[in-house]
Amino acid sequence: MKKILASIGLISLIVSCKKESASPSAETKKDTIQQKTSNLKAEISDFKEAQQVDNVNDVPFEVYSKMDSVSFYTEPKADAKVLRIKNDKLNNYYGFNDLNDFFEIHYTIAYQPNRTITAYVSKKEFTKDSQLSVQGIDLNEIRSSTVKGVDDFKTKTSKSYAVVSMIDEAAYVQAQSKSLNERISPNPEVHFDGKAWSLNFLKINKKEVDEEAEYTNQYIGFSPVTQREFFVGENSYNTDKYYTAYRSSKQDEGMTFLGYPAINTTLKLLACVTPNNDVGSDFTLTRYNPKTDRFENLLYINFTNFKAIDSKSLVWVTSNILYFKVTHLNTNTSDPAHKTEYLKIELTDKGF
């Protein structure tokens, strides 16, 4: 038995020695890696001159990095010369080519506004504007709020009234199939003569013109909960859409909403979420009171760290929870492959 154990030990020792002689030591491996990753330092003069970007709309895409400092390569190769620069919030990295492991960018040198270079940046450090994510961002940060008519410009979080968090696409799709939203469908009694929609006291022209702009209206349908006919309007001086609900039973100036209203059929709550022209997104909550036949403004919040991309995506899941679609603030939504994400907003104030 002892002889057998001794033989096994000898064989193990021989195999171990062979392995060590066949492969480089840990120190040798480390030196090899360092040699592969230690690039020659580049100077500004090593980069090709590029035409200055005068119009951002001419730029195919932009790239962003969360790192404190980033690397500029002179060629789209890992072993090319590299220049390390501070990643300032004011830096613009204009993308012109999406290569295998790199983005080709044009970058204007700080303090040299007339000098722009072509550089290559690694996809390990940068993200294309169409693929930005709200993951890890404070989704409850706000600029202002209005609660039951009282403005608040000091509180910078929504958590007292509404808590926002991420959900996955599967949860959103499932919620759509079980939505508590009222379905707004065209009323067959509303007549359209090619120029205007009419019913009893209601008459809405398809086109209207004044000194400031041209306005276009489109009929959406009837809401049994609010007993209103809904229209969506646009104007020629901006891309905003506004939704207005009108009575047909008597003269009515209408009630305007910032976005397509998600109407909770049981609670008679109307919620809207839309992109804000200045920053982020707007969320509003309104209650319809059938006793007074009026709308009560309950809540307005200007969220700062995400952009609602489709007001029709807002879905009532429970009596105080809604789901909707968003993108990062800087997402290039003109790219068909842009990243869409999904959020949950939970109303925490029982008074709503």
Side-chain angles (χ1 to χ4, degrees):
M1 185 68 181
K2 287 183 179 179
K3 287 183 179 180
I4 294 172
L5 290 174
S7 299
I8 293 172
L10 182 60
I11 292 169
S12 299
L13 180 62
I14 293 170
V15 171
S16 176
C17 289
K18 284 185 176 180
K19 282 184 177 180
E20 287 186 9
S21 61
S23 61
S25 66
E27 288 298 322
T28 306
K29 285 182 179 179
K30 185 177 178 181
D31 291 342
T32 303
I33 292 172
Q34 285 179 343
Q35 286 175 5
K36 288 182 178 180
T37 58
S38 59
N39 302 65
L40 292 174
K41 184 178 179 181
E43 303 293 338
I44 293 296
S45 58
D46 292 321
F47 294 89
K48 295 179 181 178
E49 295 278 342
Q51 187 173 357
Q52 185 176 346
V53 175
D54 295 320
N55 188 347
V56 179
N57 294 324
D58 296 333
V59 176
F61 60 91
E62 293 185 58
V63 293
Y64 297 85
S65 177
K66 294 181 179 180
M67 302 182 70
D68 294 330
S69 60
V70 293
S71 299
F72 283 2
Y73 293 80
T74 55
E75 298 178 82
K77 299 189 300 184
D79 58 355
K81 287 184 178 181
V82 65
L83 175 67
R84 198 77 179 168
I85 70 161
K86 181 181 178 182
N87 182 26
D88 192 283
K89 289 183 179 180
L90 299 178
N91 287 2
N92 292 311
Y93 308 105
Y94 298 121
F96 282 83
N97 279 301
D98 186 340
L99 308 173
N100 291 332
D101 299 316
F102 292 84
F103 296 114
E104 179 188 319
I105 68 165
H106 288 184
Y107 176 75
T108 300
I109 306 301
Y111 310 113
Q112 298 182 46
N114 294 324
R115 188 172 188 185
T116 301
I117 61 170
T118 296
Y120 300 90
V121 295
S122 172
K123 291 183 178 180
K124 293 179 181 179
E125 292 186 0
F126 284 84
T127 303
K128 195 175 183 180
D129 56 9
S130 62
Q131 298 304 306
L132 296 170
S133 173
V134 297
Q135 182 77 43
I137 295 175
D138 182 3
L139 300 172
N140 293 283
E141 181 183 290
I142 66 175
R143 181 169 62 170
S144 66
S145 62
T146 303
V147 182
K148 298 178 182 177
V150 179
D151 295 331
D152 183 354
F153 297 96
K154 293 181 179 180
T155 304
K156 298 304 178 183
T157 180
S158 67
K159 290 184 177 180
S160 297
Y161 311 104
V163 177
V164 182
S165 57
M166 289 192 72
I167 58 170
D168 58 27
E169 183 178 6
Y172 178 80
V173 172
Q174 185 179 14
Q176 276 188 313
S177 64
K178 300 177 181 179
S179 169
L180 301 179
N181 291 21
E182 178 187 46
R183 185 173 181 178
I184 302 175
S185 303
N187 182 353
E189 294 184 13
V190 174
H191 175 67
F192 180 61
D193 63 6
K195 294 182 178 180
W197 290 270
S198 59
L199 175 64
N200 300 328
F201 290 91
L202 175 68
K203 184 176 180 180
I204 303 297
N205 294 318
K206 185 174 182 178
K207 288 187 178 181
E208 296 178 357
V209 180
D210 62 19
E211 295 178 355
E212 295 182 351
E214 180 177 287
Y215 301 85
T216 304
N217 297 306
Q218 183 65 44
Y219 178 57
I220 298 176
F222 178 70
S223 160
V225 167
T226 64
Q227 292 293 298
R228 300 298 202 277
E229 305 288 349
F230 276 83
F231 289 79
V232 58
E234 296 181 81
N235 58 64
S236 59
Y237 61 84
N238 61 37
T239 58
D240 293 346
K241 292 184 178 182
Y242 46 92
Y243 296 79
T244 309
Y246 297 95
R247 295 182 186 92
S248 62
S249 58
K250 57 182 178 180
Q251 291 292 341
D252 185 20
E253 293 183 356
M255 175 69 179
T256 301
F257 299 88
L258 294 179
Y260 189 93
I263 305 175
N264 187 308
T265 54
T266 55
L267 298 178
K268 295 178 174 54
L269 290 173
L270 294 83
C272 300
V273 63
T274 55
N276 181 286
N277 287 333
D278 291 330
V279 62
S281 300
D282 291 327
F283 175 82
T284 59
L285 186 68
T286 308
R287 179 188 288 116
Y288 172 68
N289 188 336
K291 293 181 180 180
T292 62
D293 193 28
R294 293 183 179 276
F295 295 94
E296 304 168 4
N297 293 322
L298 301 177
L299 179 65
Y300 163 80
I301 302 176
N302 178 202
F303 291 97
T304 58
N305 284 335
F306 58 81
K307 188 169 287 294
I309 55 172
D310 180 6
S311 67
K312 291 184 179 181
S313 73
L314 193 61
V315 175
W316 282 100
V317 183
T318 68
S319 61
N320 68 322
I321 292 177
L322 302 102
Y323 293 170
F324 57 103
K325 296 180 182 180
V326 301
T327 64
H328 187 280
L329 294 178
N330 296 320
T331 294
N332 178 8
T333 54
S334 64
D335 185 337
H338 73 266
K339 190 181 188 71
T340 298
E341 295 177 297
Y342 305 85
L343 299 185
K344 173 178 78 171
I345 182 165
E346 182 175 358
L347 303 173
T348 57
D349 189 319
K350 303 301 181 183
F352 298 145

